[in-house]
């Protein structure tokens, strides 16, 4: 009997299904699997038991949430050829993008192309659709349309609208505003057009800044602001902000925000943002969206991850329809979810970001999106997919580096160095040591040539960690040395990162038979207990309660392994104490 392939063609924003699309069918059958007009099909419960393959396929089209979970298990155990389609259906219907990763593990043909496209892996999806076009099968027309849609340049509209400021501000409000702010209002006529459009859309910030140009003292203040743009430093921005505030120009808010961004990695900017956010009021939503995103990041630097979630909610509320600002908030929130142990939620945000990228002209936003997708897919246990995201990130970073203007290029050079360092870590996780070392050499060359020490020094620290990751499988003693050097440099880093470094050092020493491994584990757990104690002191319980269990359950595998080793070594009293200390912080 001819083998039957299931094809899932979901009507989604990614595929832009419409009534002109052909009805997707099960190959070799006349029965449609998913009709385009049925965005959400009727639901059905599962009968007991499911014994026939055709019955399971029929249920897949209409199954409710719990039934879908059962069907996935049934296909996995009995008919694995259909498992990818089951995952794809559940990913769409239950809004669980992590199922796309699971689908990709077994998907072939159209299902594979579909999974790649839904995952935002554009280069690989285009190649997969091309293969289907070449087959000249019943799916060729669909494959051609999807391939052509993916090949459209997302920057084309940006370039086309750039000559017409009014249209640009309508379609890309955040980018148009930032362009004026970051140019120091070099073209006041264009700035007034953009300000008029943005005020009509509900954000009068640029209009108020331009109106203040008539105030006494504004000329000196603007000269100081433009000097800060040319030679950025926290001190220069604060000097400009003082003069701007004295002249009654609300541009002082943005000047202080830029200064806070420069100080972000080296000091606690939460108090500064606490003063800025009320001053921004609700009149300036785009500026407030950026401030709340930065404040969330600053709380994470403190190790107060659950406290950052209200800030992300506020950032998304003020961002409105600005894709760039939504991407900025969700990319960071994705990594926060991953850090506290909510991996699937983190990947959910990451995939949502990837689907917004065609509306975002900023290369740094694209880099952040691929970085969050890589980190979260790796944490979910899919390092090969993470490597595809790393490759996409490096492609974006290399293009930005090549196209950057002559002169100081620290920004794009730093992004590329970070991307190469991160890909080296992924290669190390895949035990591809040679490839990891190639990336690390290139990353170190770029890092050493950075002119800005504030960018260079943190990256040098992370490169030492990545070198330790690459050495762990082949030379544990040298890996331990690298992790030890990283810890020395990481004194000012947030607590979770320092704890992770001690866990890594403990593992390297354990592999090398070094008894100090137990001390490293104790140090890591002590750091985490202090972090938890600080959070309990700062937080009023109630909101985001669902995240607390995840937060306190981080590193449980390492905790259990440590307790087991102590018991095996006869250190039962120490094992009991460590276990009780861990339980003390359970919610």
């Amino acid at each position: 009997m001819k083998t039957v392939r299931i094809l899932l063609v979901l009507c989604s924003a990614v595929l832009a299904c419409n009534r002109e699309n052909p009805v997707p069918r099960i190959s070799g059958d006349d029965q449609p699997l998913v009709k385009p007009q049925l965005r959400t099909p009727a639901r059905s419960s599962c009968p007991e038991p499911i014994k026939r393959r055709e019955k399971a396929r029929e249920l897949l089209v209409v199954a409710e949430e719990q039934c879908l979970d059962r069907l996935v298990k049934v296909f996995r155990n009995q008919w694995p050829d259909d498992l990818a389609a089951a995952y794809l259906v559940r990913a769409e219907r239950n809004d669980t993008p992590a199922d796309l990763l699971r689908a990709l593990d077994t998907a072939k043909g159209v299902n594979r192309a579909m999974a790649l496209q839904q995952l935002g892996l554009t280069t690989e999806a285009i190649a997969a659709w091309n293969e289907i076009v070449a087959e000249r099968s019943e799916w060729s027309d669909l494959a051609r349309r999807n391939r052509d849609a993916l090949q459209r340049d997302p920057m084309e509209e940006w370039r086309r609208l750039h000559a017409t400021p009014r249209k640009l501000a309508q379609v890309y409000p955040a980018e148009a505003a930032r362009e004026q702010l970051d140019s120091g209002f070099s073209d006041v006529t264009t700035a007034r057009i953009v300000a008029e459009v943005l005020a009509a859309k509900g954000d009068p910030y640029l209009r108020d800044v331009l109106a203040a140009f008539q105030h006494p003292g504004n000329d000196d203040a603007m000269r100081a602001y433009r000097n800060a743009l040319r030679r950025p430093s926290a001190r220069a921005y604060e000097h400009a902000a003082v003069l701007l505030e004295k002249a009654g120009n609300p541009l002082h808010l943005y000047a202080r925000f830029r200064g806070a961004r420069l100080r972000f990695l080296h000091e606690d900017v939460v108090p500064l943002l606490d003063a800025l956010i009320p001053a921004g009021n609700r009149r300036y939503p785009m500026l407030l969206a950026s401030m709340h995103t930065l404040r969330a990041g600053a709380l994470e630097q403190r190790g107060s991850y659950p406290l950052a979630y209200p800030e992300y909610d506020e950032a998304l509320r003020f961002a409105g329809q600005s894709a760039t600002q939504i991407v900025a908030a969700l990319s960071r929130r994705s990594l926060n979810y991953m850090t506290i142990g909510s991996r699937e939620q983190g990947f959910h945000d990451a995939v949502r970001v990837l689907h917004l990228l065609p509306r975002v002209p900023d290369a740094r936003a694209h880099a952040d999106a691929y970085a969050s997708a890589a980190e979260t897919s790796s944490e979910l246990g899919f390092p090969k997919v993470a490597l595809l995201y790393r490759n996409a990130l490096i492609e974006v970073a290399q293009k930005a580096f090549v196209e950057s203007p002559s002169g100081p290029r620290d920004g794009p050079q730093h992004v590329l160095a970070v991307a190469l360092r991160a890909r080296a870590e992924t290669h190390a996780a895949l035990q591809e040591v040679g490839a990891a070392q190639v990336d690390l050499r290139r990353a170190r060359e770029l890092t050493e040539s950075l002119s800005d020490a504030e960018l260079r020094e943190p990256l040098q620290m992370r490169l030492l960690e990545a070198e330790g990751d690459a050495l762990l499988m082949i030379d544990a003693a040298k890996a331990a040395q690298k992790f030890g050097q990283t810890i020395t440099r990481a004194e000012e880093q947030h607590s979770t990162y320092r704890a992770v470094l001690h866990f890594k050092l403990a593992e390297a020493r354990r592999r090398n038979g070094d008894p100090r491994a137990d001390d490293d584990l104790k140090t890591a757990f002590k750091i985490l207990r202090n972090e938890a104690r600080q959070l309990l002191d700062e937080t009023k319980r109630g909101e985001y309660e669902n995240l607390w269990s995840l937060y306190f359950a981080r590193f449980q595998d390492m905790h259990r392994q440590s307790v087991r080793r102590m018991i095996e070594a006869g250190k039962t009293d120490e094992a009991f104490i460590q276990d009780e200390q861990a339980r003390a912080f359970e919610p």
Side-chain angles (χ1 to χ4, degrees):
M1 182 177 178
K2 184 178 177 181
T3 302
V4 180
R5 277 190 304 126
I6 288 187
L7 164 67
L8 170 69
V9 181
L10 297 169
C11 297
S12 68
V14 177
L15 293 178
C17 274
N18 55 49
R19 293 180 185 272
E20 280 70 48
N21 284 344
V23 176
R25 299 178 183 276
I26 299 175
S27 178
D29 201 332
D30 290 332
Q31 178 63 37
L33 178 61
V34 180
K35 295 183 179 180
Q37 63 268 30
L38 294 180
R39 179 65 176 81
T40 304
R43 304 295 174 90
S44 172
S45 58
C46 281
E48 293 277 358
I50 304 171
K51 293 183 177 179
R52 292 188 305 109
R53 189 175 192 175
E54 289 305 318
K55 180 62 177 177
R57 287 173 170 169
E58 291 171 9
L59 283 169
L60 189 57
V61 180
V62 295
E64 63 186 6
E65 185 174 340
Q66 289 183 345
C67 182
L68 267 178
D69 293 340
R70 279 196 56 213
L71 284 169
V72 166
K73 292 179 182 177
V74 167
F75 283 123
R76 184 190 301 122
N77 294 330
Q78 299 183 45
W79 307 295
D81 287 349
D82 295 341
L83 181 59
Y87 278 132
L88 286 168
V89 170
R90 192 170 71 173
E92 171 73 5
R93 196 169 303 158
N94 293 356
D95 192 21
T96 52
D99 277 327
L100 298 171
L101 295 167
R102 301 177 184 111
L104 195 58
D105 260 358
T106 59
K108 298 177 182 178
V110 181
N111 283 339
R112 181 171 177 276
M114 175 75 71
L116 288 167
Q117 183 167 343
Q118 294 274 34
L119 286 166
L121 290 163
T122 304
T123 300
E124 291 77 13
I126 289 171
W129 287 124
N130 267 330
E131 290 177 7
I132 296 163
V133 169
E135 291 172 0
R136 298 187 178 182
S137 68
E138 60 185 309
W139 309 113
S140 294
D141 287 344
L142 176 70
R144 190 176 293 107
R145 285 199 298 274
N146 284 306
R147 178 202 62 188
D148 293 348
L150 289 172
Q151 287 177 328
R152 294 190 192 110
D153 183 359
M155 296 296 290
E156 182 181 345
E157 185 179 41
W158 167 260
R159 288 190 292 265
R160 178 172 55 82
L161 294 178
H162 209 267
T164 54
R166 190 176 300 279
K167 290 182 180 178
L168 186 74
Q170 286 285 356
V171 179
Y172 297 104
E175 292 84 351
R178 190 176 62 189
E179 196 168 77
Q180 297 305 315
L181 290 164
D182 291 353
S183 72
F185 299 89
S186 56
D187 182 346
V188 175
T189 301
T190 298
R192 292 191 190 282
I193 294 170
V194 172
E196 176 190 335
V197 174
L198 297 183
K201 292 171 76 70
D203 194 321
Y205 186 60
L206 287 190
R207 187 185 65 187
D208 291 355
V209 168
L210 290 167
F213 279 13
Q214 309 302 318
H215 297 175
N218 186 78
D219 289 347
D220 289 340
M222 286 303 298
R223 273 193 291 273
Y225 176 71
R226 289 172 182 134
N227 284 334
L229 291 173
R230 283 191 292 270
R231 298 180 183 84
S233 71
R235 180 177 295 180
Y237 279 119
E238 180 57 28
H239 173 64
V242 169
L243 296 177
L244 288 163
E245 188 171 20
K246 187 176 179 181
N249 191 330
L251 186 58
H252 74 89
L253 297 171
Y254 186 69
R256 287 198 167 101
F257 168 73
R258 287 200 60 144
R261 283 199 313 189
L262 291 175
R263 294 155 60 182
F264 169 72
L265 291 176
H266 308 284
E267 60 183 279
D268 184 3
V269 297
V270 171
L272 172 59
L273 291 168
D274 286 346
L276 284 179
I277 287 171
N281 208 336
R282 296 179 184 272
R283 285 170 52 80
Y284 308 139
M286 286 189 292
L287 182 58
L288 285 171
S290 297
M291 287 180 177
H292 280 291
T293 298
L294 185 62
R295 189 176 189 277
L299 287 167
E300 291 164 3
Q301 284 292 109
R302 286 181 170 183
S304 303
Y305 301 99
L307 297 183
Y309 289 97
E311 298 301 314
Y312 286 123
D313 287 347
E314 287 294 279
L316 292 168
R317 184 164 68 88
F318 285 118
Q321 298 301 308
S322 171
T324 295
Q325 292 194 304
I326 294 170
V327 164
L330 290 182
S331 293
R332 289 200 62 93
R333 192 175 74 175
S334 168
L335 297 174
N336 189 324
Y337 274 132
M338 182 197 73
T339 302
I340 70 166
S342 184
R343 298 178 178 92
E344 294 214 7
Q345 284 179 287
F347 190 68
H348 184 283
D349 274 359
V351 171
R352 184 178 165 193
V353 164
L354 292 170
H355 289 174
L356 288 171
L357 290 186
R359 296 167 51 194
V360 177
D362 181 61
R364 184 61 185 262
H366 285 241
D368 290 344
Y370 286 122
S372 65
E375 294 283 354
T376 49
S377 57
S378 179
E379 282 293 312
L380 282 167
F382 294 88
K384 291 181 179 178
V385 179
L387 185 59
L388 297 178
Y389 285 125
R390 295 290 186 206
N391 292 340
L393 167 55
I394 286 175
E395 184 179 341
V396 170
Q398 284 177 328
K399 184 177 180 182
F401 179 63
V402 170
E403 294 178 354
S404 61
S406 58
R409 299 195 293 174
D410 270 7
Q413 183 173 330
H414 177 255
V415 172
L416 180 56
V418 170
L420 287 162
R421 186 269 305 161
R423 189 170 70 176
E425 291 177 343
T426 304
H427 279 307
L430 290 166
Q431 298 185 27
E432 298 170 353
V433 177
Q437 290 174 339
V438 170
D439 280 345
L440 285 171
R441 278 196 295 272
R442 179 85 194 286
R444 187 163 290 285
E445 288 170 2
L446 290 166
T447 300
E448 298 303 332
S449 61
L450 286 169
S451 60
D452 187 343
E454 291 188 349
L455 292 176
R456 186 175 60 249
E457 290 170 6
L459 186 48
Q460 288 172 330
M461 176 192 71
R462 294 301 302 270
L463 280 168
L464 285 169
E465 178 195 359
E467 288 168 357
D469 291 333
L471 287 166
L472 188 60
M473 301 298 295
I474 58 176
D475 193 332
K478 285 186 179 178
Q481 184 182 21
K482 296 291 183 182
F483 292 138
Q485 291 171 350
T486 310
I487 288 169
T488 301
R489 289 182 173 228
E491 291 181 357
E492 296 182 1
Q493 300 299 311
H494 60 87
S495 52
T496 298
Y497 178 61
R498 287 186 283 110
V500 168
L501 289 175
H502 280 284
F503 282 127
K504 288 187 174 185
L505 179 56
E507 178 61 19
R509 283 178 166 168
R510 185 186 67 79
R511 290 179 182 229
N512 199 42
D514 189 330
R516 290 177 295 175
D518 287 342
D519 294 333
D520 294 314
L521 286 173
K522 290 176 184 176
T523 300
F525 288 122
K526 181 179 179 180
I527 291 171
L528 293 174
R529 285 196 301 274
N530 289 339
E531 181 181 281
R533 188 176 291 110
Q534 179 182 343
L535 180 63
L536 290 169
D537 290 342
E538 292 176 346
T539 307
K540 292 182 179 179
R541 300 291 298 279
E543 199 173 15
Y544 302 94
E545 191 80 11
N546 60 313
L547 299 176
W548 279 66
S549 294
L550 291 168
Y551 174 80
F552 286 110
R554 298 174 305 164
F555 309 108
Q556 282 302 301
D557 286 344
M558 294 178 183
H559 165 71
R560 284 189 288 268
Q561 290 171 15
S562 176
V563 169
R564 185 170 63 249
R565 288 193 193 108
M566 287 179 183
I567 292 172
E568 290 171 351
K571 301 177 181 178
T572 52
D573 289 345
E574 287 185 41
F576 178 79
I577 290 169
Q578 180 171 304
D579 195 50
E580 286 299 303
Q581 286 175 334
R583 291 177 189 277
F585 289 99
E586 290 179 357

